[in-house]
Amino acid sequence: MKEKFYLTTAIPYCSGKPHIGNTYEVILTDAIARYKRQRGYDVFFLTGTDEHGLKIETKAAEQGITPKEFVDGVSDKVKEIWALVGASYDKFIRTTDDYHEKAVAGIFKKLLDQGDIYKGQYEGWYCVPDEAFFTDTQVTDGVCPDCGRPVQRAKEDAYFFRMSKYADKLLKHMEDNPGFVEPEARLKEMINNFLKPGLQDLCVTRSSFTWGVQVPGDEKHVIYVWIDALSNYITAMGYTVDEQGELFKKYWPCDVHVIGKDIVRFHTIYWPILLLALGVPLPKKIYGHGWLNFGTDKMSKSKGNVMYADELAQLFGVDGVRYYTLSAMPYSSDGSITYDSMITAYNSDLANNLGNLVNRTISMNKKYFAKVVPAPGADEGTDGELKAAVAEACKKAYECMDGYKVSDALYEIFTMLRRANKYIDETTPWTLAKTEEGKARLATVMYNLLETIRIGAVLLTPFIPETAGKILAQLGTDVTSLEFGSLESGKETGEAEVLFKRIDEKEFYEQLAAMKGEPAPTENEKKETDNKMEEVKDTAEVVEEAVKEYEPLAETCAFDDFVKIDMRVAKVLECETVPKSKKLLRFKLDLGFETRQVFSGIAKYYTPEEMIGKKVVMVANLAPRMMKINGVEEESNGMIVASGGHSPDAVVKVLFADPDAPVGDRIS
Ligand code: ME8
């Protein structure tokens, strides 16, 4: 029997069209769901909309329609966008669904009856947009600690949940299960900032509006939107306090709730405590992804920088949007999106690296072997290297996906594709085709290329399913094994078709302007957005600016400040030069618990070969920096420690760790 895998997105507020940030979350969850299906799991993927609350009531009133009419419209829009981006969900729950409202009322009543919820009076600071009360200690300068908007003093009769009753149990669960929350830093934040200082009882009703699930037997109150919304994960599966449906029995506990970093507290504290009170097992994992920002700015309507998936899909195609969002969002920090960076990633990764590889391979095979997949001969030249790169990509992509490192998985696959492009340059099939002797070798070369792109397409299926399907169709195969050599010789391929047409920047901005009904941005306006991305500072330039004599000693630093710098032993897994940069090397560093991409300005002093396999000292808790590498925004997440970077003579020497030092060990 297949192992089950149940995963969910957060359910977005039904207050307006979801933007690319919200949509990223469903794309991410979809990629994980498709990956798990590919790995043979029996997957259940839940998503939906969060449809109650003051904000929705107010918006509906502004439009002169009922809240239900309002949410019907928005929910349809959400479904439309989810369908557009190819979200392969199994169920879409709306919190206005009758069965859900009934189940939530039942949950509330049970908790009231068993004394976990009691009636009292609430006085505190209230944030209207967030519909949340805060205590005096949580509020500074009169603004909401969550969203930064002004709060107001408010008092009301209300029901409270005895959170503290379950706090110790939850703390123990978190300490016993470090994988309960990912990334681990978010777990630590919850433990240290919320659980350890002690939980206050949570106000779980509102009486200032009516658009919500009524408290059973006390019509003046509606159930707090978070209790209502969080319960969706079980009510959708047929859970009620009286009986549990088949889906619930089969799929609960949830394997992963995929949510954004801003709602980690609700999912890792309130939700588990609610479940503990109900006697329902806890979800296995909560993955709190970062936010997609516009450049380095938060997307917001007031700033006019909100991007929507449907508009982006018109410009880049659905898989262009899926690829960009999935690859631009690192595992543990925020991602960045701008039109320029999307164009660059699209052109260099999708059109060049992937598209050209497929197109050239299929076309060459048509030309040299009349579309028939040739039979390979014995390995020669760099065949072994190519095969090793393919095997490595398969292994690493799976490992990354199992650890929710989705952008890293894509990076591994694209590294393999780059290797295949290099293989074409190394083998020069067009030269081989000129002689009879060369033709025998050409059969092997073409087979290896066809097989590499087949495996690439299989690996890419969870991320860009439509394109992966097109590649397999062009290859004329539906073989999904990752075993090199599974492509059947003697079969005919389909026709080569362009997968991604290169985007011309000028035409793009004209199309964008026409779409938005605005004039195209000027060069200066575009530059302004671009400049927001921190440009890479080449070490050599820093050297030129630096002091000409010995650098004076830095100010005395307190021990407590020194220990804030977390240096680790890291092993160089990969190291490569950066095209067009004389100074930079791109590193993949193993920290034991995770791998990191770091750019270091030491190319003048070290070759990649010298660095691979070495152990270096890395500043591991340096805030990640976005760098512009050949026009593409890339993240450098850490720093390799070296001497000489500031000296006028610039004899840069890396501080290597002892080869026997265990990877990931802290340096002090
Ligand atoms: O929080 N980048 O709904 P929501 C990435 N209804 N993710 C983003 C993002 C961005 N720029 N902006 C928002 C809610 N998100 C509740 C959830 S679940 C029981 C109830 C993510 O519409 C956000 O972090 O504000 C959340 O996970 C999801 O989009 C929906 O956000």
Side-chain angles (χ1 to χ4, degrees):
M1 212 177 72
K2 283 183 173 181
E3 203 178 321
K4 68 93 188 170
F5 194 87
Y6 173 36
L7 79 174
T8 68
T9 64
I11 46 174
Y13 287 123
C14 214
S15 52
K17 180 174 160 179
H19 59 56
I20 188 64
N22 312 128
T23 312
Y24 158 74
E25 185 171 291
V26 80
I27 296 175
L28 169 70
T29 314
D30 181 66
I32 300 167
R34 286 176 190 263
Y35 165 71
K36 289 289 175 185
R37 284 190 205 109
Q38 198 177 51
R39 297 300 306 269
Y41 285 83
D42 170 1
V43 171
F44 197 93
F45 171 10
L46 177 72
T47 187
T49 36
D50 185 357
E51 306 196 350
H52 290 126
L54 178 60
K55 214 185 299 175
I56 287 164
E57 191 178 86
T58 312
K59 283 207 165 189
E62 277 165 15
Q63 293 188 12
I65 54 177
T66 64
K68 183 67 170 63
E69 282 166 344
F70 179 82
V71 292
D72 282 351
V74 179
S75 193
D76 279 350
K77 193 76 210 160
V78 173
K79 282 186 185 157
E80 212 178 278
I81 293 187
W82 274 203
L84 172 81
V85 297
S88 60
Y89 58 81
D90 296 288
K91 182 161 182 177
F92 192 101
I93 183 172
R94 299 179 55 186
T95 54
T96 51
D97 286 339
D98 192 42
Y99 72 88
H100 170 79
E101 291 188 346
K102 285 196 178 115
V104 169
I107 288 171
F108 193 94
K109 184 159 186 315
K110 176 180 161 90
L111 299 175
L112 194 63
D113 291 347
Q114 71 190 31
D116 284 326
I117 289 179
Y118 63 92
K119 194 170 184 182
Q121 254 225 338
Y122 195 89
E123 186 175 358
W125 295 104
Y126 189 63
C127 172
V128 177
D130 280 2
E131 292 159 20
F133 268 101
F134 297 97
T135 59
D136 289 343
T137 48
Q138 286 171 309
V139 171
T140 36
D141 302 330
V143 295
C144 169
D146 275 349
C147 72
R149 286 173 282 205
V151 287
Q152 63 200 44
R153 209 68 198 153
K155 193 175 181 180
E156 62 180 21
D157 266 357
Y159 290 81
F160 292 85
F161 193 112
R162 288 183 217 282
M163 285 281 145
S164 49
K165 182 173 161 192
Y166 297 96
D168 287 346
K169 216 169 167 183
L170 177 60
L171 181 60
K172 182 160 181 344
H173 182 81
M174 285 188 177
E175 285 172 344
D176 291 348
N177 298 278
F180 182 56
V181 184
E182 271 192 55
E184 210 188 329
R186 302 207 202 280
L187 171 77
K188 289 200 179 123
E189 193 191 330
M190 291 303 126
I191 293 180
N192 295 334
N193 297 357
F194 296 103
L195 275 176
K196 287 207 166 144
L199 287 181
Q200 307 226 341
D201 289 354
L202 178 72
C203 180
V204 286
T205 54
R206 299 291 182 263
S207 53
S208 50
F209 60 93
T210 57
W211 182 238
V213 180
Q214 276 180 359
V215 168
D218 196 350
E219 280 145 36
K220 263 178 44 213
H221 300 267
V222 292
I223 297 172
Y224 179 39
V225 74
W226 273 101
I227 300 284
D228 168 7
L230 287 163
S231 303
N232 94 86
Y233 301 132
I234 51 175
T235 63
M237 308 305 272
Y239 172 91
T240 68
V241 289
D242 301 320
E243 59 185 49
Q244 282 97 55
E246 286 311 309
L247 284 177
F248 181 82
K249 284 187 202 145
K250 182 170 177 196
Y251 289 104
W252 192 263
C254 181
D255 291 274
V256 63
H257 292 307
V258 179
I259 55 156
K261 62 177 184 179
D262 58 320
I263 55 174
V264 168
R265 180 162 54 101
F266 295 95
H267 281 79
T268 58
I269 296 183
Y270 300 159
W271 176 227
I273 287 184
L274 185 69
L275 291 170
L276 285 172
L278 290 172
V280 170
L282 301 191
K284 291 187 194 157
K285 191 181 287 295
I286 290 111
Y287 171 43
H289 59 75
W291 267 28
L292 201 54
N293 295 321
F294 181 75
T296 48
D297 283 348
K298 192 174 161 184
M299 258 182 246
S300 82
K301 281 209 175 120
S302 57
K303 286 187 188 156
N305 62 3
V306 183
M307 290 169 141
Y308 296 98
D310 50 350
E311 292 174 5
L312 290 169
Q314 279 188 49
L315 300 160
F316 296 98
V318 168
D319 279 353
V321 176
R322 287 181 65 108
Y323 173 75
Y324 185 85
T325 51
L326 292 172
S327 62
M329 186 71 99
Y331 161 73
S332 57
S333 43
D334 287 350
S336 152
I337 182 166
T338 61
Y339 292 114
D340 269 7
S341 60
M342 276 193 92
I343 296 172
T344 315
Y346 178 99
N347 281 344
S348 74
D349 296 349
L350 296 178
N352 268 357
N353 192 4
L354 173 63
N356 261 350
L357 174 69
V358 174
N359 201 271
R360 284 206 287 173
T361 305
I362 305 277
S363 307
M364 285 193 289
N365 200 60
K366 179 177 177 185
K367 189 167 169 195
Y368 303 135
F369 294 104
K371 298 213 283 193
V372 178
V373 177
D379 280 0
E380 274 181 41
T382 53
D383 295 359
E385 269 180 44
L386 176 70
K387 288 183 186 177
V390 173
E392 182 80 351
C394 295
K395 182 172 159 275
K396 284 193 176 161
Y398 275 7
E399 276 169 15
C400 292
M401 286 306 282
D402 289 338
Y404 299 95
K405 306 219 164 68
V406 178
S407 59
D408 290 349
L410 270 172
Y411 175 84
E412 297 300 341
I413 302 167
F414 276 75
T415 302
M416 175 190 100
L417 299 174
R418 269 195 296 274
R419 183 66 192 84
N421 275 309
K422 190 172 159 206
Y423 180 76
I424 298 184
D425 299 340
E426 288 163 349
T427 53
T428 58
W430 47 93
T431 320
L432 295 173
K434 286 182 187 152
T435 63
E436 265 322 296
E437 181 195 350
K439 268 213 140 178
R441 170 76 186 131
L442 182 61
T444 310
V445 167
M446 286 315 304
Y447 183 87
N448 287 345
L449 283 168
L450 290 165
E451 184 57 332
T452 303
I453 60 176
R454 183 190 67 80
I455 292 176
V458 175
L459 289 176
L460 285 171
T461 300
F463 310 93
I464 44 173
E466 199 183 319
T467 305
K470 282 186 191 165
I471 300 173
L472 292 174
Q474 288 188 37
L475 286 165
T477 184
D478 52 13
V479 176
T480 54
S481 157
L482 293 185
E483 186 89 19
F484 203 100
S486 304
L487 181 66
E488 291 165 272
S489 303
K491 283 208 164 173
E492 246 191 37
T493 69
E495 286 294 334
E497 269 172 48
V498 174
L499 293 170
F500 299 98
K501 193 171 160 286
R502 268 191 83 77
I503 293 177
D504 174 87
E505 208 179 307
K506 190 165 167 287
E507 279 171 22
F508 172 89
Y509 279 104
E510 281 163 9
Q511 192 191 346
L512 176 68
M515 211 171 87
K516 294 199 171 255
E518 293 164 358
T522 62
E523 274 311 303
N524 274 349
E525 278 164 348
K526 274 198 280 142
K527 264 192 204 127
E528 238 171 65
T529 325
D530 255 17
N531 288 345
K532 292 212 170 120
M533 305 304 302
E534 202 181 334
E535 288 281 344
V536 46
K537 277 208 181 90
D538 273 330
T539 311
E541 281 165 24
V542 175
V543 168
E544 275 156 30
E545 291 164 12
V547 280
K548 296 289 173 223
E549 294 168 2
Y550 269 113
E551 211 186 344
L553 268 185
E555 249 179 72
T556 305
C557 154
F559 182 76
D560 285 350
D561 287 333
F562 168 70
V563 291
K564 284 183 196 154
I565 300 172
D566 192 341
M567 286 184 286
R568 301 289 175 121
V569 175
K571 186 169 176 190
V572 179
L573 292 179
E574 285 172 25
C575 176
E576 56 181 22
T577 52
V578 173
K580 294 193 215 147
S581 170
K582 289 194 189 112
K583 288 130 199 168
L584 286 179
L585 289 180
R586 178 204 297 269
F587 285 88
K588 193 135 216 209
L589 298 177
D590 182 9
L591 272 174
F593 47 91
E594 62 185 32
T595 55
R596 297 274 189 87
Q597 169 168 281
V598 172
F599 288 91
S600 180
I602 57 170
K604 271 169 77 181
Y605 314 99
Y606 293 91
T607 62
E609 290 68 30
E610 274 176 276
M611 296 301 298
I612 291 169
K614 294 264 170 60
K615 288 182 182 163
V616 295
V617 174
M618 173 190 178
V619 182
N621 65 338
L622 193 69
R625 286 206 310 163
M626 292 309 289
M627 294 181 150
K628 200 133 203 191
I629 307 290
N630 292 326
V632 184
E633 287 141 24
E634 298 216 40
E635 190 185 55
S636 184
N637 196 354
M639 189 172 82
I640 294 173
V641 178
S643 64
H646 292 259
S647 89
D649 305 323
V651 184
V652 174
K653 291 286 169 199
V654 168
L655 202 65
F656 290 108
D658 189 305
D660 293 333
V663 165
D665 267 7
R666 189 160 178 187
I667 292 157
S668 49

